[in-house]
Amino acid sequence: MKLLRVGPQGAERPAMLDADGALRDLSGVLSDISAATLAPAELARLRALDPTSLPRLDAPGRIAPPWSGMGKFICVGLNYADHAAEAGMPLPEEPILFMKPPSCAIGARDAVVLPQGSSKSDWEVELGVVIGRRARYVSEAQALDHVAGYCVVNDLSERAYQLERGGTWDKGKGCDTFGPVGPWLVTSDEVADPQDLTLWLDLNGRRMQTGNTRTMVFGVAQLLSYISRFMTLYPGDLISTGTPPGVGMGIKPAPVFLRPGDQLRLGIAGLGEQTLQVHAWSEALLGD
């Protein structure tokens, strides 16, 4: 299934895509796609529906983050060897973990708003892993049983804040609008192998990133098992699994960073695409 939420902020309605790519309204079946909806029994209930029996949504408007109630937005750094090389950083012996606040999450076509004083904001296309069952000290063999589905994530990063102002990476990662998610959540039964997905990102029509999840340093099952030893994972938690090479700070001879008016288009095979416009700081674009 491909699950999504559509409509203005605070008034989103649940929906799914049918086999022909038509949008179907789920609001007669459930009030929202929430963290609770991602539990195996709830997904099985939705999977049993005949999508063609649901009303079509022909003009859905805004596409919101695919689910509400995200508890944790966990990220993995330097998880592609060639990205670590372009960043000039050693390959990690264990996964590098950091957090983005859920407040940075936006939809796949929402405005990206540069923070005040931004000079080195950057892009990162990543595979997102959405938890559907509580995971605590799970084995690698059992890890994927705890996944509700997968989605596209753009781990936007203000590099000056992240790397030049001391402390942890989080201050450059959690800016408002710096976590585009979606357009939809694809349930795990439709992803045959999360370690064989092509990722890509274009800036103003120019291909910047191309990669495949098979080149991850630490795979999805390994990451989920590892993270579950440091924190309990709950339905609705999101793990963003790292980015392939081609980010702005790695461009030679001179890095390239985001500027107002830039257009980002990115996607993962089978998981949909994001189309994002970059804006200068504006309180009005941030919503509530």
Side-chain angles (χ1 to χ4, degrees), residues 102-133:
S103 59
C104 78
I106 59 171
R109 298 175 189 169
D110 287 343
V112 170
V113 182
L114 298 177
Q116 294 182 13
S118 171
S119 61
K120 296 182 180 180
S121 288
D122 205 346
W123 56 84
E124 297 187 15
V125 60
E126 306 198 0
L127 172 65
V129 180
V130 187
I131 303 301
R133 292 174 52 200

PDB file of all heavy atoms in Angstrom, residues 102-133:
ATOM      1  N   PRO A 102      11.046  16.246  15.424  1.00  0.00           N
ATOM      2  CA  PRO A 102       9.896  16.044  14.529  1.00  0.00           C
ATOM      3  C   PRO A 102       9.290  17.348  14.023  1.00  0.00           C
ATOM      4  O   PRO A 102       8.625  17.357  12.980  1.00  0.00           O
ATOM      5  CB  PRO A 102       8.907  15.263  15.400  1.00  0.00           C
ATOM      6  CG  PRO A 102       9.763  14.534  16.385  1.00  0.00           C
ATOM      7  CD  PRO A 102      10.906  15.480  16.683  1.00  0.00           C
ATOM      8  N   SER A 103       9.537  18.455  14.719  1.00  0.00           N
ATOM      9  CA  SER A 103       8.991  19.743  14.280  1.00  0.00           C
ATOM     10  C   SER A 103       9.571  20.203  12.950  1.00  0.00           C
ATOM     11  O   SER A 103       9.025  21.115  12.317  1.00  0.00           O
ATOM     12  CB  SER A 103       9.251  20.817  15.346  1.00  0.00           C
ATOM     13  OG  SER A 103      10.643  20.950  15.586  1.00  0.00           O
ATOM     14  N   CYS A 104      10.662  19.593  12.485  1.00  0.00           N
ATOM     15  CA  CYS A 104      11.240  19.990  11.195  1.00  0.00           C
ATOM     16  C   CYS A 104      10.573  19.276  10.026  1.00  0.00           C
ATOM     17  O   CYS A 104      10.817  19.622   8.866  1.00  0.00           O
ATOM     18  CB  CYS A 104      12.745  19.745  11.175  1.00  0.00           C
ATOM     19  SG  CYS A 104      13.239  18.031  10.906  1.00  0.00           S
ATOM     20  N   ALA A 105       9.730  18.275  10.302  1.00  0.00           N
ATOM     21  CA  ALA A 105       9.130  17.480   9.232  1.00  0.00           C
ATOM     22  C   ALA A 105       8.093  18.293   8.464  1.00  0.00           C
ATOM     23  O   ALA A 105       7.253  18.977   9.054  1.00  0.00           O
ATOM     24  CB  ALA A 105       8.489  16.229   9.807  1.00  0.00           C
ATOM     25  N   ILE A 106       8.167  18.220   7.138  1.00  0.00           N
ATOM     26  CA  ILE A 106       7.193  18.866   6.257  1.00  0.00           C
ATOM     27  C   ILE A 106       6.821  17.888   5.152  1.00  0.00           C
ATOM     28  O   ILE A 106       7.427  16.811   5.020  1.00  0.00           O
ATOM     29  CB  ILE A 106       7.737  20.177   5.639  1.00  0.00           C
ATOM     30  CG1 ILE A 106       9.009  19.915   4.828  1.00  0.00           C
ATOM     31  CG2 ILE A 106       7.980  21.217   6.729  1.00  0.00           C
ATOM     32  CD1 ILE A 106       9.483  21.105   4.017  1.00  0.00           C
ATOM     33  N   GLY A 107       5.840  18.269   4.332  1.00  0.00           N
ATOM     34  CA  GLY A 107       5.420  17.436   3.229  1.00  0.00           C
ATOM     35  C   GLY A 107       6.351  17.530   2.034  1.00  0.00           C
ATOM     36  O   GLY A 107       7.250  18.381   1.966  1.00  0.00           O
ATOM     37  N   ALA A 108       6.086  16.674   1.043  1.00  0.00           N
ATOM     38  CA  ALA A 108       6.980  16.504  -0.092  1.00  0.00           C
ATOM     39  C   ALA A 108       6.933  17.648  -1.091  1.00  0.00           C
ATOM     40  O   ALA A 108       7.752  17.689  -2.021  1.00  0.00           O
ATOM     41  CB  ALA A 108       6.649  15.195  -0.810  1.00  0.00           C
ATOM     42  N   ARG A 109       5.983  18.589  -0.923  1.00  0.00           N
ATOM     43  CA  ARG A 109       5.922  19.749  -1.810  1.00  0.00           C
ATOM     44  C   ARG A 109       5.828  21.050  -1.021  1.00  0.00           C
ATOM     45  O   ARG A 109       5.528  22.098  -1.585  1.00  0.00           O
ATOM     46  CB  ARG A 109       4.721  19.623  -2.758  1.00  0.00           C
ATOM     47  CG  ARG A 109       4.793  18.407  -3.666  1.00  0.00           C
ATOM     48  CD  ARG A 109       3.532  18.246  -4.493  1.00  0.00           C
ATOM     49  NE  ARG A 109       3.521  16.972  -5.186  1.00  0.00           N
ATOM     50  CZ  ARG A 109       2.458  16.459  -5.809  1.00  0.00           C
ATOM     51  NH1 ARG A 109       1.316  17.127  -5.812  1.00  0.00           N
ATOM     52  NH2 ARG A 109       2.541  15.295  -6.425  1.00  0.00           N
ATOM     53  N   ASP A 110       6.054  20.981   0.279  1.00  0.00           N
ATOM     54  CA  ASP A 110       5.998  22.174   1.109  1.00  0.00           C
ATOM     55  C   ASP A 110       7.229  23.056   0.877  1.00  0.00           C
ATOM     56  O   ASP A 110       8.235  22.628   0.300  1.00  0.00           O
ATOM     57  CB  ASP A 110       5.909  21.793   2.591  1.00  0.00           C
ATOM     58  CG  ASP A 110       4.544  21.255   2.979  1.00  0.00           C
ATOM     59  OD1 ASP A 110       3.572  21.466   2.226  1.00  0.00           O
ATOM     60  OD2 ASP A 110       4.441  20.616   4.042  1.00  0.00           O
ATOM     61  N   ALA A 111       7.154  24.283   1.368  1.00  0.00           N
ATOM     62  CA  ALA A 111       8.255  25.232   1.205  1.00  0.00           C
ATOM     63  C   ALA A 111       9.416  24.880   2.133  1.00  0.00           C
ATOM     64  O   ALA A 111       9.222  24.592   3.320  1.00  0.00           O
ATOM     65  CB  ALA A 111       7.762  26.645   1.508  1.00  0.00           C
ATOM     66  N   VAL A 112      10.624  24.894   1.584  1.00  0.00           N
ATOM     67  CA  VAL A 112      11.848  24.810   2.382  1.00  0.00           C
ATOM     68  C   VAL A 112      12.276  26.242   2.685  1.00  0.00           C
ATOM     69  O   VAL A 112      12.509  27.037   1.762  1.00  0.00           O
ATOM     70  CB  VAL A 112      12.955  24.061   1.627  1.00  0.00           C
ATOM     71  CG1 VAL A 112      14.294  24.204   2.354  1.00  0.00           C
ATOM     72  CG2 VAL A 112      12.593  22.591   1.467  1.00  0.00           C
ATOM     73  N   VAL A 113      12.366  26.576   3.957  1.00  0.00           N
ATOM     74  CA  VAL A 113      12.664  27.943   4.384  1.00  0.00           C
ATOM     75  C   VAL A 113      14.050  27.954   5.031  1.00  0.00           C
ATOM     76  O   VAL A 113      14.281  27.287   6.042  1.00  0.00           O
ATOM     77  CB  VAL A 113      11.607  28.459   5.372  1.00  0.00           C
ATOM     78  CG1 VAL A 113      11.908  29.895   5.776  1.00  0.00           C
ATOM     79  CG2 VAL A 113      10.206  28.365   4.755  1.00  0.00           C
ATOM     80  N   LEU A 114      14.966  28.692   4.436  1.00  0.00           N
ATOM     81  CA  LEU A 114      16.312  28.774   4.997  1.00  0.00           C
ATOM     82  C   LEU A 114      16.281  29.511   6.327  1.00  0.00           C
ATOM     83  O   LEU A 114      15.596  30.535   6.464  1.00  0.00           O
ATOM     84  CB  LEU A 114      17.241  29.497   4.028  1.00  0.00           C
ATOM     85  CG  LEU A 114      17.436  28.816   2.665  1.00  0.00           C
ATOM     86  CD1 LEU A 114      18.325  29.689   1.776  1.00  0.00           C
ATOM     87  CD2 LEU A 114      18.045  27.431   2.823  1.00  0.00           C
ATOM     88  N   PRO A 115      17.019  29.042   7.327  1.00  0.00           N
ATOM     89  CA  PRO A 115      17.042  29.734   8.619  1.00  0.00           C
ATOM     90  C   PRO A 115      17.741  31.088   8.513  1.00  0.00           C
ATOM     91  O   PRO A 115      18.516  31.341   7.583  1.00  0.00           O
ATOM     92  CB  PRO A 115      17.822  28.774   9.524  1.00  0.00           C
ATOM     93  CG  PRO A 115      18.671  27.981   8.598  1.00  0.00           C
ATOM     94  CD  PRO A 115      17.873  27.837   7.328  1.00  0.00           C
ATOM     95  N   GLN A 116      17.468  31.941   9.454  1.00  0.00           N
ATOM     96  CA  GLN A 116      18.115  33.249   9.471  1.00  0.00           C
ATOM     97  C   GLN A 116      19.634  33.076   9.538  1.00  0.00           C
ATOM     98  O   GLN A 116      20.140  32.307  10.336  1.00  0.00           O
ATOM     99  CB  GLN A 116      17.631  34.063  10.668  1.00  0.00           C
ATOM    100  CG  GLN A 116      16.161  34.443  10.601  1.00  0.00           C
ATOM    101  CD  GLN A 116      15.733  35.288  11.786  1.00  0.00           C
ATOM    102  OE1 GLN A 116      16.560  35.798  12.531  1.00  0.00           O
ATOM    103  NE2 GLN A 116      14.430  35.462  11.947  1.00  0.00           N
ATOM    104  N   GLY A 117      20.339  33.793   8.681  1.00  0.00           N
ATOM    105  CA  GLY A 117      21.800  33.724   8.680  1.00  0.00           C
ATOM    106  C   GLY A 117      22.364  32.525   7.952  1.00  0.00           C
ATOM    107  O   GLY A 117      23.582  32.304   7.973  1.00  0.00           O
ATOM    108  N   SER A 118      21.525  31.743   7.273  1.00  0.00           N
ATOM    109  CA  SER A 118      22.017  30.563   6.573  1.00  0.00           C
ATOM    110  C   SER A 118      23.006  30.937   5.482  1.00  0.00           C
ATOM    111  O   SER A 118      22.770  31.854   4.684  1.00  0.00           O
ATOM    112  CB  SER A 118      20.839  29.800   5.956  1.00  0.00           C
ATOM    113  OG  SER A 118      21.305  28.778   5.094  1.00  0.00           O
ATOM    114  N   SER A 119      24.131  30.207   5.429  1.00  0.00           N
ATOM    115  CA  SER A 119      25.121  30.424   4.370  1.00  0.00           C
ATOM    116  C   SER A 119      25.542  29.125   3.706  1.00  0.00           C
ATOM    117  O   SER A 119      26.105  29.151   2.605  1.00  0.00           O
ATOM    118  CB  SER A 119      26.366  31.124   4.940  1.00  0.00           C
ATOM    119  OG  SER A 119      26.971  30.319   5.943  1.00  0.00           O
ATOM    120  N   LYS A 120      25.270  27.980   4.343  1.00  0.00           N
ATOM    121  CA  LYS A 120      25.765  26.703   3.822  1.00  0.00           C
ATOM    122  C   LYS A 120      24.702  25.608   3.948  1.00  0.00           C
ATOM    123  O   LYS A 120      25.000  24.494   4.382  1.00  0.00           O
ATOM    124  CB  LYS A 120      27.053  26.292   4.542  1.00  0.00           C
ATOM    125  CG  LYS A 120      28.215  27.260   4.315  1.00  0.00           C
ATOM    126  CD  LYS A 120      29.481  26.794   5.008  1.00  0.00           C
ATOM    127  CE  LYS A 120      30.628  27.781   4.753  1.00  0.00           C
ATOM    128  NZ  LYS A 120      31.888  27.345   5.413  1.00  0.00           N
ATOM    129  N   SER A 121      23.470  25.910   3.564  1.00  0.00           N
ATOM    130  CA  SER A 121      22.414  24.892   3.635  1.00  0.00           C
ATOM    131  C   SER A 121      22.562  23.918   2.475  1.00  0.00           C
ATOM    132  O   SER A 121      22.839  24.301   1.334  1.00  0.00           O
ATOM    133  CB  SER A 121      21.038  25.553   3.630  1.00  0.00           C
ATOM    134  OG  SER A 121      20.803  26.192   4.874  1.00  0.00           O
ATOM    135  N   ASP A 122      22.340  22.638   2.758  1.00  0.00           N
ATOM    136  CA  ASP A 122      22.700  21.545   1.863  1.00  0.00           C
ATOM    137  C   ASP A 122      21.552  20.536   1.791  1.00  0.00           C
ATOM    138  O   ASP A 122      20.614  20.573   2.592  1.00  0.00           O
ATOM    139  CB  ASP A 122      23.971  20.878   2.407  1.00  0.00           C
ATOM    140  CG  ASP A 122      24.803  20.173   1.361  1.00  0.00           C
ATOM    141  OD1 ASP A 122      24.314  19.937   0.245  1.00  0.00           O
ATOM    142  OD2 ASP A 122      25.958  19.828   1.685  1.00  0.00           O
ATOM    143  N   TRP A 123      21.657  19.632   0.842  1.00  0.00           N
ATOM    144  CA  TRP A 123      20.628  18.621   0.583  1.00  0.00           C
ATOM    145  C   TRP A 123      21.188  17.226   0.865  1.00  0.00           C
ATOM    146  O   TRP A 123      22.387  16.992   0.772  1.00  0.00           O
ATOM    147  CB  TRP A 123      20.184  18.718  -0.873  1.00  0.00           C
ATOM    148  CG  TRP A 123      21.333  18.574  -1.836  1.00  0.00           C
ATOM    149  CD1 TRP A 123      21.897  17.413  -2.304  1.00  0.00           C
ATOM    150  CD2 TRP A 123      22.103  19.630  -2.411  1.00  0.00           C
ATOM    151  NE1 TRP A 123      22.956  17.674  -3.139  1.00  0.00           N
ATOM    152  CE2 TRP A 123      23.101  19.030  -3.236  1.00  0.00           C
ATOM    153  CE3 TRP A 123      22.040  21.020  -2.351  1.00  0.00           C
ATOM    154  CZ2 TRP A 123      24.024  19.782  -3.954  1.00  0.00           C
ATOM    155  CZ3 TRP A 123      22.962  21.769  -3.079  1.00  0.00           C
ATOM    156  CH2 TRP A 123      23.935  21.153  -3.861  1.00  0.00           C
ATOM    157  N   GLU A 124      20.294  16.267   1.160  1.00  0.00           N
ATOM    158  CA  GLU A 124      20.690  14.869   1.328  1.00  0.00           C
ATOM    159  C   GLU A 124      19.466  13.987   1.095  1.00  0.00           C
ATOM    160  O   GLU A 124      18.574  13.912   1.955  1.00  0.00           O
ATOM    161  CB  GLU A 124      21.233  14.600   2.742  1.00  0.00           C
ATOM    162  CG  GLU A 124      22.497  15.355   3.112  1.00  0.00           C
ATOM    163  CD  GLU A 124      23.067  14.907   4.454  1.00  0.00           C
ATOM    164  OE1 GLU A 124      22.661  13.833   4.964  1.00  0.00           O
ATOM    165  OE2 GLU A 124      23.918  15.635   4.996  1.00  0.00           O
ATOM    166  N   VAL A 125      19.395  13.278  -0.027  1.00  0.00           N
ATOM    167  CA  VAL A 125      18.324  12.320  -0.246  1.00  0.00           C
ATOM    168  C   VAL A 125      18.632  11.051   0.548  1.00  0.00           C
ATOM    169  O   VAL A 125      19.767  10.567   0.554  1.00  0.00           O
ATOM    170  CB  VAL A 125      18.137  12.009  -1.746  1.00  0.00           C
ATOM    171  CG1 VAL A 125      19.391  11.412  -2.386  1.00  0.00           C
ATOM    172  CG2 VAL A 125      16.946  11.068  -1.952  1.00  0.00           C
ATOM    173  N   GLU A 126      17.621  10.532   1.246  1.00  0.00           N
ATOM    174  CA  GLU A 126      17.834   9.377   2.113  1.00  0.00           C
ATOM    175  C   GLU A 126      16.613   8.465   2.120  1.00  0.00           C
ATOM    176  O   GLU A 126      15.477   8.913   1.930  1.00  0.00           O
ATOM    177  CB  GLU A 126      18.133   9.832   3.548  1.00  0.00           C
ATOM    178  CG  GLU A 126      19.284  10.820   3.646  1.00  0.00           C
ATOM    179  CD  GLU A 126      19.877  10.947   5.046  1.00  0.00           C
ATOM    180  OE1 GLU A 126      19.386  10.245   5.962  1.00  0.00           O
ATOM    181  OE2 GLU A 126      20.819  11.747   5.205  1.00  0.00           O
ATOM    182  N   LEU A 127      16.860   7.186   2.390  1.00  0.00           N
ATOM    183  CA  LEU A 127      15.790   6.226   2.623  1.00  0.00           C
ATOM    184  C   LEU A 127      15.314   6.348   4.064  1.00  0.00           C
ATOM    185  O   LEU A 127      16.114   6.242   5.000  1.00  0.00           O
ATOM    186  CB  LEU A 127      16.289   4.798   2.372  1.00  0.00           C
ATOM    187  CG  LEU A 127      15.317   3.676   2.768  1.00  0.00           C
ATOM    188  CD1 LEU A 127      14.059   3.707   1.906  1.00  0.00           C
ATOM    189  CD2 LEU A 127      15.999   2.318   2.700  1.00  0.00           C
ATOM    190  N   GLY A 128      14.009   6.572   4.233  1.00  0.00           N
ATOM    191  CA  GLY A 128      13.410   6.600   5.558  1.00  0.00           C
ATOM    192  C   GLY A 128      12.764   5.271   5.899  1.00  0.00           C
ATOM    193  O   GLY A 128      12.089   4.653   5.059  1.00  0.00           O
ATOM    194  N   VAL A 129      12.976   4.809   7.118  1.00  0.00           N
ATOM    195  CA  VAL A 129      12.411   3.554   7.622  1.00  0.00           C
ATOM    196  C   VAL A 129      11.435   3.903   8.742  1.00  0.00           C
ATOM    197  O   VAL A 129      11.825   4.537   9.731  1.00  0.00           O
ATOM    198  CB  VAL A 129      13.526   2.623   8.152  1.00  0.00           C
ATOM    199  CG1 VAL A 129      12.943   1.312   8.671  1.00  0.00           C
ATOM    200  CG2 VAL A 129      14.568   2.366   7.069  1.00  0.00           C
ATOM    201  N   VAL A 130      10.183   3.496   8.589  1.00  0.00           N
ATOM    202  CA  VAL A 130       9.125   3.876   9.517  1.00  0.00           C
ATOM    203  C   VAL A 130       8.771   2.676  10.387  1.00  0.00           C
ATOM    204  O   VAL A 130       8.456   1.593   9.876  1.00  0.00           O
ATOM    205  CB  VAL A 130       7.877   4.370   8.766  1.00  0.00           C
ATOM    206  CG1 VAL A 130       6.855   4.919   9.752  1.00  0.00           C
ATOM    207  CG2 VAL A 130       8.258   5.441   7.741  1.00  0.00           C
ATOM    208  N   ILE A 131       8.829   2.863  11.687  1.00  0.00           N
ATOM    209  CA  ILE A 131       8.594   1.769  12.635  1.00  0.00           C
ATOM    210  C   ILE A 131       7.099   1.510  12.793  1.00  0.00           C
ATOM    211  O   ILE A 131       6.293   2.437  12.884  1.00  0.00           O
ATOM    212  CB  ILE A 131       9.233   2.100  14.002  1.00  0.00           C
ATOM    213  CG1 ILE A 131      10.738   2.367  13.839  1.00  0.00           C
ATOM    214  CG2 ILE A 131       8.987   0.971  15.006  1.00  0.00           C
ATOM    215  CD1 ILE A 131      11.526   1.212  13.254  1.00  0.00           C
ATOM    216  N   GLY A 132       6.737   0.211  12.844  1.00  0.00           N
ATOM    217  CA  GLY A 132       5.342  -0.179  13.030  1.00  0.00           C
ATOM    218  C   GLY A 132       5.089  -1.011  14.267  1.00  0.00           C
ATOM    219  O   GLY A 132       3.940  -1.149  14.707  1.00  0.00           O
ATOM    220  N   ARG A 133       6.148  -1.587  14.823  1.00  0.00           N
ATOM    221  CA  ARG A 133       6.041  -2.380  16.058  1.00  0.00           C
ATOM    222  C   ARG A 133       7.158  -1.956  17.002  1.00  0.00           C
ATOM    223  O   ARG A 133       8.275  -1.669  16.559  1.00  0.00           O
ATOM    224  CB  ARG A 133       6.192  -3.886  15.785  1.00  0.00           C
ATOM    225  CG  ARG A 133       5.073  -4.522  15.008  1.00  0.00           C
ATOM    226  CD  ARG A 133       5.424  -5.975  14.677  1.00  0.00           C
ATOM    227  NE  ARG A 133       5.827  -6.718  15.861  1.00  0.00           N
ATOM    228  CZ  ARG A 133       6.533  -7.859  15.823  1.00  0.00           C
ATOM    229  NH1 ARG A 133       6.956  -8.337  14.665  1.00  0.00           N
ATOM    230  NH2 ARG A 133       6.832  -8.479  16.937  1.00  0.00           N
TER     231      ARG A 133
END
